[in-house]
Amino acid sequence: MKNEKDNLDELFNRFENQWDIQELNSDHQVDFLQKLNKKEPRKRYWFATAIAASIVLMLGISLFYKNEKPKEFKFASKETKRTDSIFNILIDNELVKLKEKNSPENQQIINDAMIQMKTFDADYQKIINELQKNGENKQIIYAMISNLQTRISFLQTVLKRIEDNEKLKNNSNEKTL
């Protein structure tokens, strides 16, 4: 205890003439209360905030509706809807597998595949519009199924190519005796 007190005394002695000892004005409390009670005019940002919130809301809604695919067909039979549903589940599963293979080495292949899938999707949308416009007939149903089958086989081919590239990479890294 005594040692700590000596240390503190030594510290105070060392800084003895360096302390800030300015006296406050006698009315400093009144000045402080006046500054505290003084009301500054508030800047009103509510108008700009409302505009920004509206823009964010519109962007959110547009993104939500833009990504939504029309799943229901107005003039399609139950069999056509069921066929479409089954094929779309298979396509989604293949897309999930493709996204799992995403790596720097596979990035270009996956990007090219997604561009091609957008082309298939655009063709499919034309077929669906034709189906809704003219109703079901064998040619439209055949075109729809053909498009769906083409997408699935395309995704399987891309996945096979990625796997072959990965095997080739693994084999080239191996040393043979």
Side-chain angles (χ1 to χ4, degrees):
M1 246 347 218
K2 188 175 182 181
N3 190 18
E4 288 178 18
K5 184 179 179 191
D6 290 340
N7 287 340
L8 285 175
D9 286 339
E10 182 181 317
L11 180 69
F12 279 108
N13 287 335
R14 193 171 10 152
F15 293 112
E16 186 174 349
N17 295 328
Q18 298 177 9
W19 299 108
D20 184 13
I21 54 172
Q22 180 182 4
E23 296 284 328
L24 296 176
N25 296 336
S26 60
D27 58 347
H28 77 277
Q29 187 174 10
V30 175
D31 289 341
F32 178 75
L33 288 174
Q34 284 177 347
K35 287 181 182 178
L36 187 63
N37 291 329
K38 182 180 178 184
K39 291 186 179 180
E40 292 184 22
R42 288 187 175 178
K43 296 179 181 176
R44 297 183 186 235
Y45 294 112
W46 62 270
F47 185 71
T49 305
I51 290 173
S54 299
I55 290 171
V56 169
L57 182 64
M58 286 188 289
L59 285 174
I61 290 172
S62 69
L63 289 175
F64 176 74
Y65 284 112
K66 191 175 189 178
N67 292 336
E68 190 175 303
K69 284 185 180 178
K71 291 290 182 184
E72 290 295 316
F73 309 130
K74 293 180 184 174
F75 302 105
S77 66
K78 288 181 183 179
E79 292 82 13
T80 304
K81 289 179 186 178
R82 187 172 31 230
T83 302
D84 176 70
S85 175
I86 291 168
F87 275 106
N88 277 315
I89 290 171
L90 293 172
I91 291 168
D92 289 343
N93 287 339
E94 294 298 315
L95 284 170
V96 167
K97 290 178 189 176
L98 186 66
K99 288 178 183 175
E100 288 173 355
K101 297 286 185 176
N102 196 1
S103 69
E105 297 87 21
N106 301 330
Q107 189 66 40
Q108 186 62 41
I109 297 171
I110 292 173
N111 287 343
D112 292 343
M114 297 311 289
I115 290 169
Q116 184 61 39
M117 285 300 291
K118 287 181 182 178
T119 304
F120 289 141
D121 287 340
D123 292 342
Y124 185 72
Q125 192 59 46
K126 290 176 187 175
I127 294 168
I128 296 306
N129 290 342
E130 193 69 28
L131 174 71
Q132 290 178 349
K133 180 178 167 185
N134 298 326
E136 287 187 25
N137 66 44
K138 288 183 181 182
Q139 290 176 332
I140 294 175
I141 299 299
Y142 179 76
M144 183 183 87
I145 292 172
S146 176
N147 179 283
L148 294 167
Q149 288 174 333
T150 303
R151 285 201 251 174
I152 291 172
S153 78
F154 172 73
L155 289 171
Q156 289 172 342
T157 303
V158 170
L159 284 168
K160 177 80 169 117
R161 182 173 173 195
I162 289 173
E163 288 173 6
D164 290 345
N165 285 347
E166 288 174 351
K167 286 179 185 177
L168 181 64
K169 181 183 172 194
N170 288 339
N171 287 339
S172 67
N173 290 337
E174 295 177 359
K175 293 182 180 179
T176 57
L177 296 176

